[in-house]
Amino acid sequence: MSSSSLPLFRFGIIADPQYAAIAPHAAMDRYYANSLAKVAEAIEVFNGEELSFVMTLGDVIDRSFASFDDILPVYEKLRHEALFLLGNHDFSISSGHLSEVAARLGMPSPYYSFSRHGWRFVVLDGNEVSTFAPPEGHPHRALAAEMLAELQARGARNAHPWNAALSDKQFTWLSDEIASAAAAEEKVIVMNHYPVHPPSEHGMWDSERIVALLASQGNVVAYLNGHDHVGNYGVAGACHFVNFKGVVDTESENAFAIVEVHADRIEIRGFGREESRTLPY
């Protein structure tokens, strides 16, 4: 192999296991209990590769805080670092546990960043302004209800209660992270549960400002997400937007990926239902 064909580094991606010990939802083709075996199968593949980390793009569970007790031990077999971000279904739990989800997933905070091999990964909390994730009585709940009503009045296609938005504080933090990465000569990959581009019914309520920011920054290479289980892909500016397919869908077919970062492109190796893609930059 020539050095140009070797990646700088690789990492694994899993999206939307949505595990729960419940019967399947056949009409939606979701097999919640089967996600334990599918995640275990993905981990077996990941363990055969040299990876920097494995990121699960939210919706680790479908419902019930106790579901974490079944699925998180599966990740203990992973020989790489297991990283998480928050999805909407991770908050489909009793209100007393809402403030505990990030800690249960071993996350340093609901949104965070880290650097690997001269790249910065910016991990968003797409649920921050929502009708389900903030504790009861939190101002973000009231703000979310207002935003949702406004979008519904406009007939916006993403005006659904299963979507959400960033707070202005988190949006400013995202902008600052990209700027400090540029100063450090780091390329950026943003990760979130929700899509922002192409526009869809699963998109963040504040997708437009997020896409405008990412598309205007030369060091932002890709935005990776789950949430829309059928998957999707688009480009805005020089930024690639990749929506990974959901693990929970179908009775037996899996969906996960290994992302290989090269000096001039990102190669996504899809497994099962996940597509392989080449993203030049």
Side-chain angles (χ1 to χ4, degrees):
M1 260 190 170
S2 71
S3 59
S4 65
S5 65
L6 284 171
L8 307 171
F9 65 101
R10 318 178 169 83
F11 58 91
I13 290 284
I14 294 173
D16 300 79
Q18 261 180 250
Y19 166 74
I22 56 171
H25 191 312
M28 293 180 84
D29 207 14
R30 291 186 182 173
Y31 290 79
Y32 307 99
N34 296 10
S35 288
L36 291 186
K38 289 183 187 177
V39 170
E41 181 194 357
I43 285 171
E44 211 168 299
V45 172
F46 294 150
N47 282 346
E49 306 259 349
E50 291 309 316
L51 305 178
S52 288
F53 60 88
V54 171
M55 173 64 79
T56 300
L57 295 167
D59 282 5
V60 178
I61 59 166
D62 183 73
R63 65 193 76 179
S64 173
F65 196 70
S67 296
F68 287 121
D69 298 342
D70 291 337
I71 191 164
L72 290 181
V74 178
Y75 283 90
E76 289 168 14
K77 296 196 173 70
L78 183 67
R79 70 179 184 94
H80 311 292
E81 188 176 12
L83 297 173
F84 295 93
L85 57 78
L86 301 168
N88 55 308
H89 280 274
D90 296 316
F91 295 96
S92 298
I93 55 179
S94 61
S95 58
H97 289 299
L98 289 173
S99 61
E100 300 168 22
V101 177
R104 185 69 186 88
L105 289 167
M107 296 167 57
S109 54
Y111 54 90
Y112 60 99
S113 71
F114 61 94
S115 295
R116 292 284 188 281
H117 311 279
W119 286 64
R120 186 169 308 193
F121 293 86
V122 181
V123 182
L124 301 179
D125 172 16
N127 316 276
E128 195 183 17
V129 176
S130 68
T131 58
F132 50 81
E136 299 285 350
H138 193 285
H140 284 163
R141 273 200 185 225
L143 176 60
E146 274 170 41
M147 289 182 83
L148 180 56
E150 201 177 295
L151 287 164
Q152 284 170 336
R154 289 210 321 251
R157 59 195 292 202
N158 63 336
H160 297 288
W162 63 76
N163 297 327
L166 303 182
S167 67
D168 290 343
K169 180 183 172 189
Q170 186 180 172
F171 182 77
T172 301
W173 172 83
L174 168 62
S175 182
D176 291 347
E177 281 288 325
I178 293 168
S180 74
E185 297 187 338
E186 292 176 326
K187 300 263 187 223
V188 174
I189 292 176
V190 179
M191 296 175 166
N192 188 17
H193 180 58
Y194 300 86
V196 291
H197 182 77
S200 77
E201 62 171 22
H202 289 86
M204 296 278 290
W205 294 335
D206 58 340
S207 290
E208 282 148 7
R209 68 172 178 172
I210 298 170
V211 175
L213 172 65
L214 303 185
S216 68
Q217 305 300 310
N219 63 325
V220 180
V221 176
Y223 176 102
L224 311 180
N225 66 273
H227 191 52
D228 188 351
H229 296 195
V230 298
N232 207 348
Y233 170 77
V235 182
C239 183
H240 299 274
F241 294 81
V242 184
N243 187 150
F244 291 87
K245 291 179 162 69
V247 167
V248 71
D249 301 72
T250 80
E251 187 172 6
S252 57
E253 274 192 287
N254 214 335
F256 58 95
I258 289 174
V259 180
E260 303 193 333
V261 179
H262 294 258
D264 59 347
R265 69 193 188 281
I266 290 174
E267 298 276 359
I268 297 175
R269 259 195 293 152
F271 294 81
R273 290 164 31 251
E274 189 53 63
E275 291 171 52
S276 295
R277 307 176 190 273
T278 299
L279 318 177
Y281 68 88

